[in-house]
Amino acid sequence: MPQLNGGGGDDLGANDEMISFKDEGEQEEKISENVSAERDLDDVKSSLVNESENNSSSSDSEQTERRPQTRPDSESYEKTRDYFSEALRRQQDGGFFKSPHYPGYPFLMIPDLTNPYLSNGSLSPSARTYLQMKWPLLDVPGSAGLKDSRSPTPGHLSNKVPVVQHAHHVHPLTPLITYSNEHFSPGTPPSHLSPEILDPKTGIPRTPHPSELSPYYPLSPGAVGSIAHPLSWLMPQQGQHMYSIPPGGFRHPYPALAMNASMSSLVSSRFSPHMVTPPPHSLHQTGIPHPAIVSPAIKQEPSSDNISPSMHARKSPVPPKKEEDKKPHIKKPLNAFMLYMKEMRAKVVAECTLKESAAINQILGRRWHSLSREEQAKYYELARKERQLHSQLYPGWSARDNYGKRKKRKRENKPDSKPEDFSIRSKKQCVQYLPSEKMCDSPASSHGSMLDSPATPSAALASPAAPAATHSEQAQPLSLTTKPEGRMHHHFSLPGKASGSTSSSSSSSSSSSSSQPSISIPIGTSGSQSNTPILTRPIPFTSLHPSMLSPPSPFHQAALHSHHALFQSQPLSLVTKPTE
DNA sequence: CTTCCTTTGAAGAAA
DNA sequence: TTTCTTCAAAGGAAG
């Protein structure tokens, strides 16, 4: 890691270890999956039953089928694609999604880094999309190649960073965006490119990080075009369109707006407007500050610090509370999973009709596990970059600063906490959740994780953070640890992952008995599992749609494939233990 | 109106 | 060094 950046230095970089992850073999599989991914979905939907079969076949099926899991992303990407097709076209050659092989983590990667992944040079489709997504509005000159990506522009942006978000101003949605914004500004373009970035706080000029950041920066046209990521904020937009989701629910609109706004602001000051496309929505004149910065409901305000006055001015529609906290509440950078959630939530909601975040999150958690390593790697990489940016922006910030800001977190512990309430609640929820999940995710589970996820060493490698994956799982407190035994080695497949899956279960237990609403996964299980479904039954299907039934995404398949393994381990977690 | 729920991951705190 | 706890997002549900 150290080697990486010469420039920046931050460190986070360490992560950069990045290892080359991915086995080729898997990639191949994935590829195949990709191809069929879409189909798979349909198929899956059509027959959950098949799943069981497939599962049974497990070994065989797995290979072929696993891949499908990845698809989901691809699909989403595709959707987004439409929206941004124009942009994409410029850069794209042609098949985003189609491209079978995944280079590795493509996106962010910048040549500078020397990351292994980059070696390919080719960006994964997803990566491309990512960029697009982030900066859809921006018009980037198609011509600009990757090289441009580093273009200087970002530099100015950086200034913004310091800005504090006001809760009011900021939309929930913005976060991603903001980050993106952050990226811009802080990210500092490659040294040569953007000289100007100063640390708001310190006033000291920062050295931009080279490549890493750059990708994020929307500014660089080239970059934008070239890189895409599944991340999502765009997705939501799509979702809206596609699904017509209520804005309030999702952040779709905002992100774009935010970006624009921020960008525009930046631009206004420094850049030529043309670069940025005007926000579609009108909203935004108020700029959104950094996503990370939020004024807690409480009133923290951005006091002062900050930042570019211009930004402030704009932004603050709301009167600053001033004083309150001296410090603005700076949010933690989003981790890989959170990024994934943001991106995918809208989709899941659209597919499932479920609205409850808890239920959706469960689904997302499963899907996360079902993602291929490459896909996860993307998010890990993004998360890593986010952390870098965050660290650059807020050098002195530490996670500890936010401790206690949230009222209190749950008691995870089992010991004292009164299980009662929880349990009750959870039970109820469980019911509800179950149905949806099934429908939506049938994927049952966790298995997926086993497959790709970091659990495997390789996987871990893949994501910088990855290590986290592996380690974290074990280490992770919550849940994982709790049930050590269970953990997993049952699965033959990936021990690591297993842990992951187990983790969920464990966590649930640990967290409180209550928690697990669990989702049963009907599917996979071959026989035994079938029982579980019963549990689900209670659930009101009202919410469900036929569509839901059909597995919306490839995940199902994946799940199915993995299912066998899952059964043993997974079900556990998924299934609600709560009832107990 | 506030907190919970739920997920994974990162990071800090505690043991 | 290992384990445990918080927080990050999100939005309905429950108190």
Side-chain angles (χ1 to χ4, degrees):
Chain A
M1 350 295 210
Q3 39 202 56
L4 295 180
N5 9 344
D10 299 351
D11 359 354
L12 302 185
N15 325 335
D16 293 0
E17 332 177 340
M18 353 234 108
I19 329 154
S20 45
F21 33 102
K22 64 196 51 297
D23 304 357
E24 292 178 353
E26 287 183 354
Q27 290 178 346
E28 291 176 353
E29 290 176 351
K30 289 180 181 179
I31 295 170
S32 64
E33 288 178 356
N34 292 345
V35 174
S36 60
E38 292 177 356
R39 290 179 304 154
D40 292 348
L41 295 179
D42 294 345
D43 294 347
V44 172
K45 292 178 181 179
S46 64
S47 63
L48 293 180
V49 174
N50 291 348
E51 295 176 350
S52 62
E53 293 177 354
N54 293 343
N55 292 342
S56 62
S57 63
S58 68
S59 63
D60 295 349
S61 64
E62 284 182 354
Q63 294 175 342
T64 57
E65 298 195 344
R66 288 186 194 167
R67 289 42 200 37
Q69 293 174 345
T70 55
R71 290 249 181 107
D73 292 350
S74 64
E75 288 182 351
S76 65
Y77 296 148
E78 290 180 354
K79 291 178 182 178
T80 56
R81 232 204 277 174
D82 294 346
Y83 295 89
F84 304 98
S85 61
E86 292 179 354
L88 296 179
R89 289 177 186 175
R90 295 174 185 174
Q91 300 170 348
Q92 295 175 346
D93 314 288
F96 284 24
F97 300 94
K98 295 176 181 178
S99 65
H101 38 352
Y102 293 51
Y105 321 125
F107 25 51
L108 308 182
M109 341 321 299
I110 303 161
D112 295 354
L113 296 184
T114 70
N115 296 343
Y117 355 126
L118 296 184
S119 61
N120 294 354
S122 62
L123 296 180
S124 64
S126 62
R128 295 176 186 174
T129 52
Y130 175 66
L131 293 180
Q132 293 174 346
M133 299 195 51
K134 286 192 171 186
W135 311 99
L137 297 180
L138 300 181
D139 38 304
V140 176
S143 62
L146 294 181
K147 341 167 167 183
D148 291 354
S149 63
R150 297 167 165 227
S151 65
T153 53
H156 11 345
L157 295 183
S158 62
N159 296 345
K160 299 167 59 159
V161 174
V163 173
V164 174
Q165 292 178 342
H166 298 274
H168 306 296
H169 303 309
V170 176
H171 238 290
L173 303 184
T174 54
L176 289 180
I177 297 169
T178 43
Y179 275 95
S180 60
N181 291 346
E182 293 178 353
H183 297 296
F184 305 125
S185 42
T188 76
S191 59
H192 53 289
L193 297 180
S194 63
E196 298 179 352
I197 304 168
L198 297 183
D199 196 336
K201 294 178 181 179
T202 60
I204 299 168
R206 309 180 183 141
T207 55
H209 264 329
S211 41
E212 295 176 355
L213 298 181
S214 59
Y216 287 98
Y217 302 132
L219 298 181
S220 64
V224 173
S226 63
I227 300 166
H229 187 302
L231 280 188
S232 54
W233 24 294
L234 294 184
M235 296 295 304
Q237 288 179 344
Q238 290 178 346
Q240 288 179 339
H241 299 298
M242 304 284 300
Y243 304 96
S244 72
I245 298 166
F250 304 103
R251 27 169 142 246
H252 336 353
Y254 297 99
L257 295 178
M259 293 188 53
N260 292 339
S262 64
M263 295 192 55
S264 65
S265 65
L266 294 178
V267 170
S268 63
S269 60
R270 300 186 176 193
F271 284 63
S272 60
H274 62 281
M275 297 204 42
V276 175
T277 54
H281 301 286
S282 39
L283 313 182
H284 297 306
Q285 306 179 346
T286 64
I288 296 170
H290 196 288
I293 302 168
V294 174
S295 56
I298 313 172
K299 0 192 142 200
Q300 305 177 340
E301 261 249 347
S303 50
S304 39
D305 20 315
N306 348 323
I307 345 184
S308 50
S310 62
M311 298 220 21
H312 255 330
R314 291 189 280 118
K315 301 181 175 190
S316 54
V318 176
K321 299 156 185 184
K322 326 167 164 216
E323 2 170 336
E324 236 121 46
D325 288 6
K326 2 150 150 234
K327 325 172 153 186
H329 177 172
I330 297 171
K331 293 182 178 181
K332 293 174 67 171
L334 301 184
N335 63 31
F337 179 71
M338 297 304 290
L339 291 170
Y340 172 76
M341 282 183 55
K342 283 200 154 209
E343 179 179 345
M344 299 300 296
R345 172 174 263 100
K347 272 192 167 188
V348 172
V349 171
E351 291 175 355
C352 300
T353 69
L354 287 180
K355 294 177 182 177
E356 296 185 16
S357 294
I360 292 170
N361 290 347
Q362 286 187 335
I363 293 168
L364 290 170
R366 290 205 302 253
R367 289 194 176 191
W368 171 254
H369 287 292
S370 67
L371 291 176
S372 63
R373 307 184 201 141
E374 290 84 0
E375 290 179 340
Q376 287 189 345
K378 294 175 186 177
Y379 292 94
Y380 282 113
E381 181 65 17
L382 286 174
R384 184 175 65 82
K385 290 185 177 182
E386 297 248 344
R387 288 196 301 275
Q388 286 184 344
L389 286 175
H390 194 276
S391 66
Q392 288 182 345
L393 294 178
Y394 314 103
W397 179 89
S398 93
R400 163 197 337 111
D401 294 344
N402 292 355
Y403 275 38
K405 298 221 166 171
R406 277 198 174 200
K407 305 355 207 356
K408 59 181 151 241
R409 226 144 114 132
K410 51 184 77 255
R411 55 326 41 166
E412 280 191 83
N413 312 322
K414 12 237 64 275
D416 314 341
S417 41
K418 5 121 169 241
E420 306 169 354
D421 296 351
F422 300 114
S423 64
I424 296 169
R425 212 187 246 184
S426 62
K427 289 178 182 179
K428 290 179 182 179
Q429 291 178 347
C430 294
V431 175
Q432 293 176 346
Y433 294 125
L434 294 178
S436 63
E437 287 188 353
K438 285 180 165 189
M439 320 274 313
C440 298
D441 288 3
S442 43
S445 31
S446 26
H447 36 345
S449 58
M450 304 170 43
L451 303 179
D452 358 11
S453 47
T456 44
S458 61
L461 297 181
S463 61
T470 3
H471 297 308
S472 64
E473 288 178 352
Q474 294 175 344
Q476 298 265 358
L478 315 179
S479 21
L480 302 186
T481 47
T482 27
K483 310 205 157 144
E485 300 174 5
R487 268 186 196 257
M488 9 301 168
H489 304 309
H490 314 5
H491 316 320
F492 6 108
S493 33
L494 308 181
K497 252 357 181 191
S499 64
S501 63
T502 51
S503 67
S504 63
S505 64
S506 63
S507 63
S508 60
S509 62
S510 68
S511 59
S512 51
S513 48
S514 60
S515 49
Q516 307 244 316
S518 63
I519 302 162
S520 55
I521 304 161
I523 311 166
T525 61
S526 11
S528 62
Q529 296 283 343
S530 59
N531 298 343
T532 55
I534 296 171
L535 297 180
T536 58
R537 262 206 272 150
I539 307 159
F541 292 87
T542 59
S543 60
L544 303 180
H545 273 274
S547 61
M548 296 180 57
L549 299 181
S550 61
S553 53
F555 293 109
H556 295 287
Q557 292 180 342
L560 296 179
H561 301 308
S562 55
H563 69 307
H564 57 290
L566 298 182
F567 289 109
Q568 297 175 341
S569 60
Q570 287 257 345
L572 317 180
S573 55
L574 298 182
V575 176
T576 51
K577 298 183 164 191
T579 52
E580 304 171 0

